[in-house]
Amino acid sequence: MRMAFTLDGSISLEDIAALLAFALAFWGAWRAITDVSRQLRDVTYAELDRLYFDLQRAALDYPAASIPPPLEGKDKRSTKIRRRYEIYAGMVWNLVETVDDRCDQDANLKRTWFPVLEVEKRRHEAWIRKPQNAALFKEDFRRKHCI
């Protein structure tokens, strides 16, 4: 785009049209970026909702398997229920890690999900503190949540 100014400072109609076209193109690009960002955020919300729904469904299907073992004393539940709890707690902590990863850049997502995560983290804290379980997660996540 070549703009030609005359000595008297006037701008031609072609120059005005070119500036207007540039401004519209810039606005359109900005709008497309914000729309894509909004769509990605909506997809993230939907995905996290689905993951948590699946966890809650598992807890409804096998309520005893979603309850942590006692902190003291022997776990008197069957081997099958204890194994189901191990799997369930792993799913919970996988969700915590997923949300933690996704919330780094999104304050609204943090505001929505961190209260839920705090409840789940407290409930299944003993599970993640076992070295063999903590080893399943990234180093920075372990430092943040396992100590």
Side-chain angles (χ1 to χ4, degrees):
M1 171 170 72
R2 184 169 181 241
M3 295 183 68
F5 292 97
T6 62
L7 290 177
D8 65 359
S10 63
I11 300 175
S12 70
L13 285 177
E14 292 84 17
D15 293 337
I16 292 171
L19 283 171
L20 184 58
F22 177 77
L24 286 173
F26 182 79
W27 178 79
W30 176 79
R31 182 71 194 256
I33 290 169
T34 58
D35 286 349
V36 167
S37 295
R38 189 176 304 115
Q39 288 172 353
L40 288 173
R41 185 181 68 237
D42 291 348
V43 166
T44 298
Y45 271 94
E47 180 185 1
L48 295 177
D49 283 343
R50 184 190 54 77
L51 290 172
Y52 195 59
F53 176 82
D54 289 346
L55 271 176
Q56 297 303 303
R57 171 65 60 178
L60 285 172
D61 291 345
Y62 302 100
S66 66
I67 300 169
L71 294 176
E72 295 182 18
K74 186 167 173 38
D75 187 356
K76 297 177 183 174
R77 299 178 298 176
S78 71
T79 303
K80 187 176 187 178
I81 295 296
R82 286 195 309 267
R83 181 68 188 131
R84 281 188 175 156
Y85 172 74
E86 291 293 317
I87 293 168
Y88 182 83
M91 291 168 59
V92 166
W93 280 100
N94 190 42
L95 174 69
V96 170
E97 184 178 36
T98 299
V99 173
D100 194 62
D101 288 345
R102 304 271 170 91
C103 286
D104 279 344
Q105 306 299 320
D106 191 331
N108 288 326
L109 207 56
K110 264 184 194 175
R111 201 170 24 258
T112 299
W113 281 100
F114 273 32
V116 173
L117 295 186
E118 286 306 314
V119 168
E120 294 296 343
K121 284 167 47 177
R122 277 194 304 273
R123 185 177 295 147
H124 303 287
E125 183 177 14
W127 185 91
I128 195 72
R129 290 190 182 273
K130 294 178 184 174
Q132 71 270 22
N133 295 334
L136 298 170
F137 299 92
K138 296 184 300 266
E139 180 66 32
D140 60 331
F141 181 80
R142 289 194 308 253
R143 277 194 307 270
K144 188 174 180 181
H145 296 283
C146 302
I147 297 172

